[in-house]
Amino acid sequence: VRAVLESAPWCFPALERAADRITEALGETGGRTTRLISLLQRDHGLATQVLPVETMPVWRKRIDRHSGRLFVSERLSLPQRSELLAQELVVRRAGTVLDEELDLLGLSTAQDGDEALRLARLELARYTALAVLMPYERFQRAAERTHYDPVVLATRFGCSYSQVAHRLVSLQDRSGGRQAGPVFF
């Protein structure tokens, strides 16, 4: 999976557009994490609850489908929680687009196995979640203004340094009149 993803251009315009639709649905009112939680509850019937590490010693998240609750570990930082919530929205709202992009990667169950497909889909969902947290145009403009300073961008977007670095690499979308950033990777 790593070899396939590293050989592909690290930009997925269809996933960027899916992220734009989710970002639009989130709106601008209130804190981002609160908006993610509200959208999961309102549109998908999934209530979010942070549980203590004693209750979730090894899990980052767990979904109880019977009660319609998403349990998140308190050990996750706020940027990690936001990414996890955004990923959950991506899987629920853009699953078809994820599957189409997965097909384009050329992985197959016969050759690569179910686990490889699961991991690749998860990585595409993570890519899209970061695009939700750092919308393309807004992030691109901020990156240019700050001379691509990941520390400033992390603070401005409420993300971790690692998340910002990951997003900076993906600013290569030239579709729909978008401007590509410098090639980092």
Side-chain angles (χ1 to χ4, degrees):
V1 170
R2 185 175 309 272
V4 167
L5 290 174
E6 287 178 359
S7 69
W10 193 242
C11 179
F12 301 92
L15 296 180
E16 294 288 347
R17 289 188 296 279
D20 290 343
R21 289 188 294 275
I22 294 169
T23 300
E24 187 177 310
L26 282 172
E28 294 291 328
T29 308
R32 181 181 60 208
T33 303
T34 302
R35 289 182 283 139
L36 290 163
I37 290 169
S38 295
L39 192 57
L40 279 168
Q41 174 68 50
R42 185 188 77 214
D43 290 0
H44 304 284
L46 195 61
T48 302
Q49 184 177 353
V50 177
L51 292 181
V53 71
E54 297 85 19
T55 306
M56 293 181 64
V58 293
W59 297 317
R60 294 169 37 96
K61 75 169 187 174
R62 188 173 80 73
I63 296 177
D64 182 345
R65 297 190 194 292
H66 298 294
S67 67
R69 290 185 294 173
L70 168 62
F71 299 114
V72 179
S73 173
E74 73 175 344
R75 83 171 57 237
L76 297 178
S77 67
L78 193 53
Q80 289 172 319
R81 286 181 199 173
S82 293
E83 181 182 331
L84 188 142
L85 294 168
Q87 274 183 321
E88 196 60 42
L89 272 173
V90 165
V91 167
R92 291 169 182 274
R93 295 177 81 97
T96 303
V97 180
L98 287 173
D99 292 338
E100 289 167 357
E101 289 298 314
L102 187 59
D103 287 344
L104 293 175
L105 289 177
L107 294 167
S108 71
T109 305
Q111 178 183 348
D112 304 298
D114 290 334
E115 185 66 6
L117 290 173
R118 189 188 71 74
L119 288 172
R121 191 173 197 272
L122 184 65
E123 194 58 37
L124 293 175
R126 180 171 187 255
Y127 172 100
T128 312
L130 293 178
V132 168
L133 300 179
M134 295 170 270
Y136 196 95
E137 282 87 4
R138 191 166 12 138
F139 187 75
Q140 173 69 14
R141 283 191 307 273
E144 287 174 355
R145 282 190 213 116
T146 64
H147 304 286
Y148 299 91
D149 185 327
V151 175
V152 173
L153 291 167
T155 302
R156 187 171 293 177
F157 285 87
C159 292
S160 70
Y161 184 96
S162 172
Q163 290 169 328
V164 167
H166 201 84
R167 186 65 176 139
L168 283 170
V169 169
S170 69
L171 294 178
Q172 298 303 307
D173 188 1
R174 289 181 172 84
S175 68
R178 285 188 164 153
Q179 177 183 350
V183 177
F184 288 103
F185 177 74

